Amino acid sequence: MQLNRIIILGNAGSGKSTLARQLGTVLEVPVIHLDKLFWEPDWTKPEASEFRAKVRAAVSGSRWICEGNYHRRTFDLRLPKADLVIWLNTPRLTCLKRVLIRTLRNEPRPDLPEGCSERMNREFLLFLRYVWQFDQKDRPAIEAERVVQGANVPVVSLNNKAEIHAFLQQVQSHRQ
């Protein structure tokens, strides 16, 4: 299987950005972080057409790894070009813990644009609710849209660190 264009999906805190960076290194492929394309300073949302234009340009190349959901806004641009979809099925308690830790650390993240630091406020509490409810509320809609836009794109589900590690090892062994 060719691995030129990969989409990574999952809950916030599931490890999408980390896996994308690791795969990008192994495959020597550019990584596209959708949050970095979407958000403007101070968590300002862009115009829909502006975001779509950024995504369209980002996925115009022949090789990329794109992490992030944004299913309603971008699946029609990304999925028809994809060789593989990776679903990270990280338990929601783990996702919640990771989101809390990274917010408390308040360190710059390479997958977010300048001027978007995570902080404890009302929006953060709403975000925690999103993380907790992701598998029940958001994942079914994302999966339904994935089937509509890319039913023929193979899907790999990774459920824990051991499976992620094994997948990375498998990709690396095929590269050699």
Side-chain angles (χ1 to χ4, degrees):
M1 171 190 320
Q2 288 285 57
L3 294 179
N4 292 317
R5 295 170 304 277
I6 300 170
I7 295 172
I8 302 175
L9 304 173
N11 197 352
S14 64
K16 295 183 302 293
S17 298
T18 300
L19 178 58
R21 285 190 298 275
Q22 291 169 330
L23 272 174
T25 299
V26 169
L27 296 171
E28 299 175 351
V29 174
V31 174
I32 302 163
H33 298 285
L34 290 183
D35 280 345
K36 199 166 190 170
L37 295 180
F38 183 77
W39 294 107
E40 295 177 6
D42 204 28
W43 300 103
T44 304
K45 292 182 180 180
E47 293 292 324
S49 60
E50 181 183 325
F51 176 55
R52 285 181 56 82
K54 288 179 186 178
V55 173
R56 186 176 289 111
V59 300
S60 66
S62 61
R63 300 184 75 218
W64 43 260
I65 297 167
C66 186
E67 66 88 9
N69 300 322
Y70 294 93
H71 62 289
R72 286 186 212 98
R73 293 179 167 106
T74 68
F75 269 12
D76 64 318
L77 302 174
R78 299 185 292 149
L79 274 167
K81 298 179 178 197
D83 301 320
L84 180 69
V85 170
I86 299 172
W87 259 113
L88 292 180
N89 301 314
T90 309
R92 67 182 179 174
L93 199 54
T94 301
C95 293
L96 201 63
K97 181 177 119 187
R98 289 176 178 172
V99 167
L100 281 166
I101 289 170
R102 74 184 188 200
T103 301
L104 291 172
R105 284 188 180 149
N106 197 25
E107 296 170 350
R109 289 179 37 207
D111 55 315
L112 288 178
E114 292 282 329
C116 288
S117 60
E118 295 173 310
R119 54 187 172 262
M120 300 278 188
N121 56 20
R122 185 180 188 289
E123 287 78 22
F124 178 71
L125 295 175
L126 293 173
F127 185 61
L128 290 179
R129 183 169 56 177
Y130 163 82
V131 172
W132 189 253
Q133 297 175 341
F134 178 83
D135 286 332
Q136 291 75 34
K137 286 193 159 192
D138 294 277
R139 184 183 173 118
I142 294 168
E143 183 59 17
E145 188 68 18
R146 184 199 64 77
V147 170
V148 167
Q149 298 292 340
N152 297 324
V153 179
V155 177
V156 170
S157 291
L158 301 174
N159 300 304
N160 53 50
K161 284 184 179 183
E163 289 182 12
I164 292 168
H165 179 73
F167 178 78
L168 285 167
Q169 293 288 47
Q170 181 183 16
V171 169
Q172 194 159 28
S173 70
H174 282 93
R175 292 273 302 158
Q176 298 172 349

